[in-house]
Amino acid sequence: MSHITSFRVTASRQARVARSYLLSACTLALLSLVLGSWPAAAQQSGSITGTVAEAGTGVPLSAAQIFIVGTNMGARSRDDGRFTMLDVAPGQYQLRVQRIGYRSGTMDVTVGAGAAQTVDIELTKEVLRLDEIVVTGEAGAARRREVGNAISQIDLTDVVESAANLETLMGARIAGAVITEASGMAGSGNVIRLRGNNSISMSNQPIVYIDGVRVLSEAYPKNVPPVGYSGRSGNVQASPLNDINPEDIERVEVTKGAAATTLYGTEASAGVIQIFTKQGSRRGRTRWSARIEQSIDHVLPFGAEGVDRIYTDPWLRDSHGQKYSLSVQGGSQDISYFLSGSFADDKAPLVNDREKGVAFRGNAGFSISPELQVQWHSSFVKREINNTPVGDNAQGVVLNAWRQETNYTGPTPSINGAIDQLLEYDISTDIDHLTTGVTVSHDPSAKITQRLTVGFDRAFSEGRQYRPFGFILAPQGIMANTRWLNETFTVDYVGSYTQSISEVLNATFSVGGQVIESEETSTTGYAEDFPGPGEPTLTSGARTLSFEDRIRVVNGGFFVQGRLGVSDRLFLTGGLRMDGNSAFGETLGLEPYPKLSVSYVMSDEGFWNPDWGSLKLRAAYGQAGRAPGAFDAVRTWSPVKLSGEPGFVPQNRGNPELGPERTEEFEVGLNGSFLDNRISVDFTYYRQTTKDALFEVRTIPTEGGWQNQLANVGKMRNQGIELALTGAIISGQNFGWDMGLNIYTNNSEILDLGGAPSFAVGGFGFIEEGQPVPVIKSPRVSNPDALADPEYEDDYFWGPSQPTRTFTPSTQLRFPGGVMLSARGEYLGGHYIYDANTYGKISRGQRSWPSCIRAREMFDGGQGDQLTAAQRNRCIQNFIESGSLINKGDFFKLRDVTVRVPLRFWTWVTNPAITVSARNAIRWFNSDWQVLEPEIGCNTGHNCLVISQQEHIPPPATYTFSLGFEF
């Protein structure tokens, strides 16, 4: 028996949290006051006022940046397009106006002493944004016209609705990305897939950067005791993506495959998400922004035959959430800053579920000299998550409520009272997340640019579980506490040299290198059998155990890239990344990842008629990888205790030749705008093949009892299309109507198992040659409509377990007065899901399962011969077959409907507006779904190969009211 040392906490958890909130809030306020009082230019006598509007339609443009060239003076247009610059010295100036999605404009103005100069500015819409700078997947920065691969971008100035978190904001916006919700639990993260699964053994989660700093992308660990069944939990995992406040984000760039992520090397085959936060401005006055949000969550019916929520109503509620955000930005000639703080407190529908926290961000930019710029970014987040015990958990509320007379807690007359006692099970997770980084940009000449980023990301979680003395299903009590820490250190350098070879030829040569070091540590204490009631610590248990894990991985590499531009419309790019990783086998050296791409702006050719619109053609090829686990290549032994003596048994055999999975991808596509920029098209066909896929290969038992060993033996493929269409149906000054549609398909196939046998990956998902990745394989009722006992076809291939097609329609209406109405839906389909819940209830003899109540009554009443084979298989204990309850996963949800109304009468603040949103309020399921819904599943972590349902409540409908303004 091991022993863990502990101490008694003298202050309450609530008091510690309160002190933390107060300290952070005071710090933010102090910094805001200091920077907000930065010396401004001396008071002057002139001013410039005016409006910014869209050329051709006269639609007012908000969020346009207006500044006087050569000075630090500027302004930002409001929702009605108006702007004002005060204290302008008399004289002649050049005014420049910029807004994302529009061509920049300039005009000359003359300001007289004591006079107010009024100007009206029109900007021409630029749908393709060919001269916009992008970063993700590039050596440094590049214009869109130069990039040969697809890059999706979310510009937050175009987002109308209030987003609860970043994953919600990204959902149903990007062709090629599937972001599925998992449950209605507090803190539950979503599952993100970019162009499908390209790994079976490793993670399929894209890597994430914030302002150039690599951050944690995998889910926080599930809060579960280290001893006993792994389902004793809330069975959810929080996502680090949701640690960032959407109000702090300027834009998000997403690259979706190896053709675009070569320069990230061994870590990036599943794609890259780059998040860019607000930087502040060196032009204009200090600007404060505030937002107040209130929300209600309501769980829609997910039962059948009158049992709307499958007996969980006593433990569900319409829960209230609130969020308050405040930020300030501004600057002077040589400094810019952005500071923000937010507080959120969200109760979730289950009675013990709640998430609250604070988030702070500080960004600053400094001009050391005209050639040397420094940017500093830093954020800190503290979240507290409380969960109700649910999932496939005999000590969980939902499982016992659903089982009714077959529940684990007590006899039928006291079901609810017994289940109430399960609420004494305390599951809490505290998260602290710190990210900081400095980027130094040095541009000694127009030909030479270089950038160095050094960053640090620290993600910490403490998961605590407590079942007190006298708990209904663990009378002596159980406690566990896990402290988990992930620290990632980033060093990233890139330098570029540009040279004009002739009047039409231009070349850019880039070199760079990157080192990412990640260290993960975990320490867990476990105790059970407390002597009596009270407030125990881990040392109070009669039996205590301790556990510790440490993992350190270093990935480093360098790259070279060359780009040749011809007449600023044809661009050829080639590059090579060389990578090493501490998880590689000892015989491996540096791994190469090549890259080739071409981009051709055809509409810039002389033969092109401008009335035809704009057109860019592109093609790209590239390779990226995914490293094996930290110890997969190493021979390891597991410590054991036999007859009271310590010892070791074989664990991982080790493979000195183990290397990364290598994904190569070819994509071809186009970007176009037509009919006077009324219609835009973004189309991509992609085909990616993962070679050297890591599969478990059986070892020979006579060689010592080693576990199966990972080996680079497999081969798999994903291919499909991505199509994003947007259209301006009506464009007028007082009324406008835009529509959009994203279409995405993904067809996967296992090409080669490398001699390894087919194998299961859970939820009746299998890895089989010639089948999707993975495929659902299980018995099928071969005579479903016959009035007879079911007959079964064994090992039937139903189809893929992940969606193969998505459609995301959207629309936006603009009314007089700046009123906006937007809607966005999402259809996912082409996949299959195992209904483990129905099987679990019926196979244990439950008679009150909602979708089977009528069938059970008929059977008990002697009318069983009137039930079809499918009904008998689904509802009668004597006939049901494990794995035979497979449903089509097709569904549609109206992800968001939002109305935004400017408050024109509220003149003492800038851009006041109220926003009302409804999320997931309307939905459609295919006829296979007699009970539950397709988005109850994938809550066991980000790397969810098979959508395996558990006893959770579905994502609720959420109704949000927010008020935002500036001052």
Side-chain angles (χ1 to χ4, degrees):
M1 181 181 298
S2 57
H3 186 73
I4 188 166
T5 303
S6 182
F7 58 91
R8 185 172 297 277
V9 180
T10 57
S12 71
R13 181 165 170 261
Q14 290 80 2
R16 287 188 285 112
V17 172
R19 288 199 297 270
S20 175
Y21 288 171
L22 180 61
L23 177 61
S24 301
C26 291
T27 302
L28 176 68
L30 179 61
L31 287 172
S32 301
L33 291 172
V34 171
L35 292 178
S37 61
W38 197 272
Q43 296 294 316
Q44 303 296 334
S45 56
S47 64
I48 302 174
T49 63
T51 60
V52 182
E54 182 178 283
T57 66
V59 175
L61 295 178
S62 64
Q65 299 290 337
I66 307 100
F67 59 94
I68 299 175
V69 176
T71 75
N72 68 332
M73 300 196 66
R76 183 172 179 263
S77 63
R78 303 181 308 188
D79 284 348
D80 58 1
R82 297 187 60 80
F83 69 92
T84 302
M85 279 188 286
L86 303 174
D87 305 324
V88 182
Q92 293 184 340
Y93 300 100
Q94 186 178 60
L95 206 63
R96 187 169 183 85
V97 186
Q98 296 176 331
R99 191 188 189 279
I100 293 177
Y102 292 82
R103 295 194 184 111
S104 300
T106 59
M107 66 182 304
D108 295 327
V109 297
T110 300
V111 178
Q117 180 67 40
T118 302
V119 297
D120 292 320
I121 304 166
E122 290 190 338
L123 299 182
T124 302
K125 198 167 188 177
E126 188 178 40
V127 176
L128 297 190
R129 305 182 184 183
L130 293 178
D131 293 316
E132 184 180 64
I133 299 298
V134 295
V135 173
T136 310
E138 291 301 306
R143 296 174 298 164
R144 280 187 178 271
R145 67 171 54 240
E146 300 171 324
V147 180
N149 52 262
I151 293 182
S152 297
Q153 186 178 95
I154 301 174
D155 177 8
L156 270 293
T157 61
D158 296 331
V159 175
V160 178
E161 71 266 24
S162 299
N165 53 56
L166 180 56
E167 291 179 336
T168 297
L169 184 148
M170 293 174 59
R173 293 186 185 276
I174 301 171
V178 176
I179 303 175
T180 53
E181 301 187 41
S183 74
M185 301 285 291
S188 177
N190 296 352
V191 178
I192 301 177
R193 286 294 175 272
L194 305 178
R195 296 181 177 173
N197 293 317
N198 55 33
S199 179
I200 301 301
S201 303
M202 299 295 110
S203 173
N204 287 288
Q205 188 77 359
I207 60 176
V208 179
Y209 285 80
I210 299 179
D211 295 318
V213 177
R214 177 77 172 271
V215 301
L216 176 70
S217 57
E218 299 298 326
Y220 288 102
K222 184 168 74 171
N223 186 351
V224 60
V227 174
Y229 175 53
S230 63
R232 297 285 183 261
S233 173
N235 284 293
V236 294
Q237 290 183 266
S239 169
L241 266 181
N242 294 335
D243 290 344
I244 183 171
N245 182 5
E247 297 291 323
D248 295 346
I249 300 174
E250 180 179 272
R251 73 184 193 277
V252 179
E253 291 180 4
V254 180
T255 55
K256 293 164 283 190
T261 60
T262 295
L263 298 186
Y264 298 93
T266 298
E267 305 279 69
S269 61
V272 178
I273 298 173
Q274 285 258 26
I275 301 164
F276 301 89
T277 59
K278 296 176 181 178
Q279 305 300 309
S281 174
R282 298 177 186 177
R283 308 179 182 96
R285 65 180 180 85
T286 298
R287 188 171 79 249
W288 292 79
S289 298
R291 180 175 292 274
I292 301 170
E293 296 181 11
Q294 304 292 312
S295 64
I296 294 292
D297 288 338
H298 173 71
V299 177
L300 298 175
F302 57 94
E305 297 194 19
V307 188
D308 288 347
R309 296 174 185 83
I310 317 183
Y311 312 109
T312 55
D313 286 286
W315 303 280
L316 290 177
R317 59 188 175 182
D318 287 342
S319 56
H320 172 246
Q322 54 186 325
K323 181 179 179 181
Y324 308 92
S325 300
L326 178 67
S327 66
V328 59
Q329 58 182 308
S332 64
Q333 185 68 37
D334 298 320
I335 187 173
S336 64
Y337 61 88
F338 173 82
L339 297 170
S340 73
S342 65
F343 167 78
D345 186 358
D346 293 311
K347 296 178 181 178
L350 280 169
V351 292
N352 276 5
D353 272 36
R354 186 174 188 176
E355 178 178 4
K356 60 180 179 179
V358 294
F360 300 99
R361 173 166 294 279
N363 295 344
F366 308 92
S367 291
I368 307 302
S369 69
E371 299 84 17
L372 188 62
Q373 308 288 324
V374 178
Q375 289 183 319
W376 169 72
H377 308 91
S378 190
S379 67
F380 175 74
V381 176
K382 187 175 187 65
R383 298 164 64 188
E384 296 178 6
I385 302 171
N386 291 93
N387 286 128
T388 308
V390 297
D392 186 14
N393 178 4
Q395 299 182 16
V397 169
V398 172
L399 181 146
N400 283 284
W402 286 6
R403 286 194 175 172
Q404 286 295 287
E405 69 275 10
T406 61
N407 79 93
Y408 288 95
T409 60
T412 301
S414 61
I415 288 177
N416 288 359
I419 293 177
D420 281 341
Q421 298 179 60
L422 296 175
L423 298 176
E424 297 175 1
Y425 194 156
D426 180 33
I427 303 172
S428 63
T429 304
D430 292 347
I431 292 172
D432 294 346
H433 196 168
L434 170 69
T435 303
T436 187
V438 175
T439 297
V440 179
S441 301
H442 183 223
D443 305 329
S445 70
K447 296 182 177 181
I448 300 175
T449 63
Q450 52 184 343
R451 184 198 69 209
L452 174 67
T453 297
V454 179
F456 176 70
D457 181 70
R458 182 184 186 274
F460 170 81
S461 76
E462 181 176 11
R464 190 169 183 84
Q465 287 214 355
Y466 176 45
R467 280 162 280 180
F469 181 86
F471 183 71
I472 185 172
L473 296 178
Q476 293 299 119
I478 298 174
M479 178 183 289
N481 197 87
T482 299
R483 297 173 64 88
W484 176 91
L485 175 66
N486 182 282
E487 296 179 319
T488 303
F489 183 67
T490 303
V491 178
D492 191 338
Y493 169 81
V494 60
S496 297
Y497 175 77
T498 301
Q499 177 65 52
S500 295
I501 301 174
S502 67
E503 291 184 359
V504 297
L505 291 179
N506 184 279
T508 300
F509 179 75
S510 302
V511 297
Q514 185 184 68
V515 175
I516 305 292
E517 179 180 342
S518 179
E519 185 169 358
E520 179 180 307
T521 60
S522 175
T523 304
T524 301
Y526 174 86
E528 60 182 37
D529 296 345
F530 300 124
E535 295 292 334
T537 61
L538 288 170
T539 54
S540 303
R543 179 171 178 256
T544 60
L545 301 170
S546 60
F547 306 84
E548 182 179 27
D549 292 294
R550 294 181 179 271
I551 299 174
R552 178 175 175 269
V553 176
V554 179
N555 189 87
F558 62 91
F559 69 86
V560 294
Q561 176 180 289
R563 173 175 286 131
L564 181 66
V566 182
S567 300
D568 202 37
R569 55 180 174 266
L570 176 63
F571 303 91
L572 304 173
T573 303
L576 178 67
R577 166 91 180 205
M578 301 291 291
D579 246 13
N581 189 288
S582 60
F584 292 172
E586 59 186 21
T587 64
L588 268 72
L590 297 177
E591 290 292 296
Y593 302 99
K595 168 185 178 180
L596 292 170
S597 72
V598 58
S599 174
Y600 177 37
V601 185
M602 181 180 288
S603 55
D604 282 357
E605 293 286 0
F607 65 78
W608 189 270
N609 187 334
D611 293 337
W612 297 344
S614 301
L615 180 65
K616 169 190 163 183
L617 305 178
R618 51 182 168 78
Y621 168 84
Q623 295 183 9
R626 180 66 79 178
F631 300 112
D632 289 340
V634 181
R635 177 165 293 190
T636 58
W637 304 77
S638 179
V640 295
K641 184 182 292 186
L642 299 173
S643 301
E645 298 295 329
F648 294 93
V649 296
Q651 189 178 39
N652 189 56
R653 181 177 182 177
N655 183 355
E657 298 179 354
L658 196 67
E661 297 180 314
R662 181 182 298 274
T663 300
E664 64 177 17
E665 181 180 65
F666 170 75
E667 68 172 51
V668 60
L670 61 86
N671 300 84
S673 64
F674 310 100
L675 300 179
D676 196 24
N677 284 331
R678 285 182 175 272
I679 296 177
S680 68
V681 180
D682 186 343
F683 172 80
T684 301
Y685 165 79
Y686 66 91
R687 182 185 180 96
Q688 60 178 216
T689 302
T690 299
K691 301 178 179 179
D692 300 329
L694 290 165
F695 293 163
E696 287 192 351
V697 177
R698 295 176 182 173
T699 59
I700 301 174
T702 57
E703 292 185 354
W706 301 100
Q707 296 179 359
N708 293 347
Q709 171 64 50
L710 284 179
N712 299 103
V713 297
K715 186 176 182 181
M716 49 198 285
R717 182 177 63 210
N718 287 285
Q719 62 181 346
I721 64 167
E722 300 163 355
L723 175 63
L725 298 170
T726 58
I729 309 303
I730 300 175
S731 296
Q733 183 172 1
N734 294 318
F735 181 78
W737 181 20
D738 296 338
M739 295 190 69
L741 176 64
N742 290 346
I743 300 174
Y744 160 60
T745 68
N746 179 271
N747 296 298
S748 63
E749 182 181 354
I750 295 292
L751 301 178
D752 190 357
L753 289 175
S758 62
F759 56 92
V761 289
F764 290 92
F766 284 82
I767 302 303
E768 298 254 0
E769 285 188 5
Q771 296 296 330
V773 187
V775 66
I776 298 294
K777 183 180 72 170
S778 69
R780 179 181 76 106
V781 178
S782 58
N783 61 334
D785 299 323
L787 295 178
D789 292 344
E791 298 175 1
Y792 296 97
E793 177 184 352
D794 293 333
D795 295 335
Y796 177 77
F797 292 107
W798 294 85
S801 67
Q802 295 286 338
T804 62
R805 55 181 182 268
T806 72
F807 303 94
T808 55
S810 62
T811 189
Q812 188 174 94
L813 294 168
R814 177 175 44 81
F815 300 96
V819 176
M820 303 284 289
L821 169 65
S822 70
R824 183 165 43 93
E826 182 176 37
Y827 164 84
L828 298 177
H831 60 302
Y832 293 84
I833 300 174
Y834 172 44
D835 184 2
N837 293 292
T838 295
Y839 172 76
K841 310 307 176 289
I842 301 304
S843 64
R844 287 170 172 81
Q846 182 173 338
R847 297 171 177 269
S848 55
W849 187 242
S851 59
C852 292
I853 293 176
R854 177 57 181 159
R856 188 73 224 185
E857 289 175 349
M858 291 176 62
F859 185 83
D860 291 344
Q863 296 176 301
D865 57 349
Q866 299 180 30
L867 298 177
T868 66
Q871 289 175 315
R872 299 181 200 189
N873 174 68
R874 177 174 289 274
C875 295
I876 307 303
Q877 182 181 14
N878 297 341
F879 298 110
I880 195 167
E881 179 75 15
S882 177
S884 62
L885 302 181
I886 305 297
N887 296 327
K888 290 182 179 179
D890 302 42
F891 73 94
F892 173 85
K893 287 191 178 182
L894 191 58
R895 290 302 191 190
D896 178 80
V897 177
T898 295
V899 177
R900 186 174 186 270
V901 181
L903 302 177
R904 302 298 189 193
F905 59 86
W906 204 1
T907 58
W908 63 278
V909 294
T910 305
N911 290 339
I914 59 173
T915 303
V916 180
S917 298
R919 177 172 176 79
N920 290 337
I922 298 176
R923 59 192 184 171
W924 168 87
F925 304 142
N926 72 82
S927 58
D928 277 8
W929 285 98
Q930 302 178 34
V931 69
L932 305 180
E933 70 152 89
E935 283 195 301
I936 300 179
C938 274
N939 36 44
T940 55
H942 279 162
N943 200 28
C944 177
L945 285 172
V946 178
I947 302 176
S948 180
Q949 295 203 316
Q950 293 187 345
E951 286 80 354
H952 280 268
I953 61 170
T958 301
Y959 306 92
T960 303
F961 171 88
S962 67
L963 169 65
F965 54 90
E966 299 176 358
F967 56 95

